[in-house]
Amino acid sequence: MANLLGVSVTELLMCEKMEQGDTLETDKVEKIVKTVITYSEENPKRAYQEKSHQKWIALYILSFLAGSVGTFFNGITKRPCLEILGITLLLYAIFGGYFCCFVKIKLPRFYDENSVNFVHDGAFRMNMVGVKFNNRNWKYIVRTTRISMCLSMISLPIINFFMGSIMPKGWNSSGAAILLVTFFCSIFLPMYIMGKKCE
């Protein structure tokens, strides 16, 4: 990787470019190598591996079932915006499944030692400008996101049903956009607010 980027291995490990002719002291090189080794040994537990977090799995399943029943009821009563409602429920199921079941309970030390505004966990990637992720705010971000996901899966079909009943024409034209905006706000606003508050 260092060869591909045109930097030395030390520069790659330090995440900074060195001036030509600069040398590092032996102690600093040793510290860098030890840090890299300890990072690679870190393996934070996931939510499903901790008993204290397993209640969220049950809550997630119940919320998803309630949302599915609500979406089905919207379908049989022919309410507008059914397609968008189904898509948002599926997206909530994916994000909610990650945060309730598979999220890492603790971030690696790298996040505490550096100013990082992204989280990378396999296929899951999240970048939030202005929020510095670390272990001080991560547990609050996770908890708030879980609550938001579960409540949204239950409430969106109810909102769609009532809005489709009260003002079918208006909801038919604007409901899809409102549901999508609600989806994005319910995911990213709680993360941003808690991330900044507990940073």
Side-chain angles (χ1 to χ4, degrees), residues 82-140:
L82 188 63
E83 189 176 312
I84 293 295
L85 184 63
I87 290 168
T88 53
L89 182 66
L90 179 63
L91 291 171
Y92 278 127
I94 293 166
F95 280 93
Y98 173 76
F99 276 96
C100 291
C101 308
F102 301 105
V103 71
K104 287 183 179 176
I105 296 166
K106 194 176 177 189
L107 293 173
R109 273 188 312 119
F110 173 80
Y111 288 88
D112 294 328
E113 295 170 2
N114 298 282
S115 182
V116 182
N117 63 358
F118 67 89
V119 174
H120 175 245
D121 181 18
F124 178 79
R125 293 167 189 257
M126 181 174 64
N127 191 337
M128 294 193 76
V129 177
V131 176
K132 305 291 186 277
F133 292 103
N134 52 57
N135 282 302
R136 289 182 303 280
N137 63 10
W138 183 242
K139 63 181 175 182
Y140 299 108

Side-chain angles (χ1 to χ4, degrees), residues 3 22 30 112 158 164 174 186:
N3 288 337
D22 277 3
E30 191 175 326
D112 294 328
I158 295 169
S174 62
S186 66

